Amino acid sequence: MSSSQIENRNFLSPVGFKFTLTRCPKSAFFSNQANIPELNLGTTYQPSYTRQIPEPGTNITFGDFRLRFLVDEDMSNYMEIQNWIRGLGFPEDLEEIYKLQFDKNIEVENKLDRIENIYSDGTLMIMSSNNRVNCQVKFQNMFPFTLSTILFDATDNDVQYVTAEVGFKYMMYNLVDAKGSPLFPIQRRTSD
């Protein structure tokens, strides 16, 4: 039985997050904006005499994960993402995909992952008001599909450091607590 009273009266802070990405640690380290993607449940319609009645569907679509990060002076974090995308799309020759798949600088958990070095898992850690991990969003099999332009502008009076934004597709994400347990476990019905 759950309580109807709110136990934690602290509000969620938009600056309290940290993102880690196994394949691109430099880009994740300089991240300054991220999102929990939207969920969309498809709907179906039941015909009726007067109108179509909406019913919940069965397919969920996940929105894109977007990460904005500060670009370092050597552009190494920007090039991490660009090389990943270029390797996936091999715009010049097939050698680019092979370089991507067998890159020795990329950490993988086992040798089988080395063969298809095109995906990466990521974790968005959401911090509490005490700056401790409160919950996490675990992404599975992420890959970048878009990388923003870098704009240089000599007319700016104040120095605004360059940022870039990358969009990721992924297989699934789950919300878990700081220890990795599901935040909202599904309650299974028990037969009487």
Side-chain angles (χ1 to χ4, degrees):
M1 186 169 152
S2 64
S3 171
S4 60
Q5 294 296 318
I6 296 173
E7 293 176 21
N8 185 347
R9 295 180 186 269
N10 294 321
F11 297 111
L12 187 63
S13 170
V15 298
F17 76 95
K18 180 180 175 185
F19 182 68
T20 60
L21 184 62
T22 308
R23 197 175 196 296
C24 295
K26 295 175 187 173
S27 302
F29 178 79
F30 288 108
S31 61
N32 61 8
Q33 188 177 53
N35 69 311
I36 298 176
E38 64 185 24
L39 286 175
N40 291 304
L41 176 64
T43 55
T44 179
Y45 292 92
Q46 177 182 348
S48 131
Y49 178 70
T50 57
R51 64 180 186 96
Q52 300 280 2
I53 300 171
E55 296 283 337
T58 56
N59 292 333
I60 294 176
T61 56
F62 294 88
D64 299 332
F65 175 72
R66 298 209 170 260
L67 179 72
R68 183 175 296 155
F69 59 94
L70 290 163
V71 179
D72 67 279
E73 191 173 61
D74 297 328
M75 294 178 56
S76 59
N77 57 359
Y78 185 82
M79 292 310 298
E80 272 183 334
I81 301 292
Q82 189 177 100
N83 290 337
W84 190 0
I85 292 174
R86 290 177 71 87
L88 291 172
F90 46 92
E92 293 182 38
D93 59 43
L94 284 174
E95 251 340 275
E96 290 179 284
I97 189 72
Y98 302 131
K99 286 179 189 173
L100 173 78
Q101 289 178 337
F102 296 103
D103 186 349
K104 302 276 188 259
N105 296 322
I106 305 303
E107 292 183 31
V108 292
E109 293 191 17
N110 62 53
K111 290 181 181 179
L112 292 176
D113 290 341
R114 173 73 59 203
I115 296 168
E116 281 194 44
N117 191 16
I118 59 178
Y119 301 108
S120 180
D121 290 345
T123 303
L124 177 64
M125 291 168 270
I126 300 167
M127 306 299 191
S128 68
S129 58
N130 297 336
N131 213 22
R132 296 179 190 254
V133 176
N134 193 27
C135 63
Q136 303 174 73
V137 183
K138 297 277 197 177
F139 293 92
Q140 299 171 14
N141 292 347
M142 301 178 82
F143 65 93
F145 72 97
T146 183
L147 180 62
S148 69
T149 61
I150 290 182
L151 180 65
F152 296 96
D153 186 356
T155 62
D156 278 345
N157 292 333
D158 295 329
V159 176
Q160 297 289 327
Y161 292 104
V162 174
T163 61
E165 185 173 298
V166 58
F168 288 95
K169 300 285 186 185
Y170 51 91
M171 186 178 74
M172 170 78 71
Y173 78 77
N174 288 301
L175 290 139
V176 297
D177 65 16
K179 295 176 183 175
S181 299
L183 272 184
F184 304 103
I186 297 172
Q187 300 295 323
R188 303 276 184 215
R189 288 187 185 179
T190 56
S191 57
D192 294 330

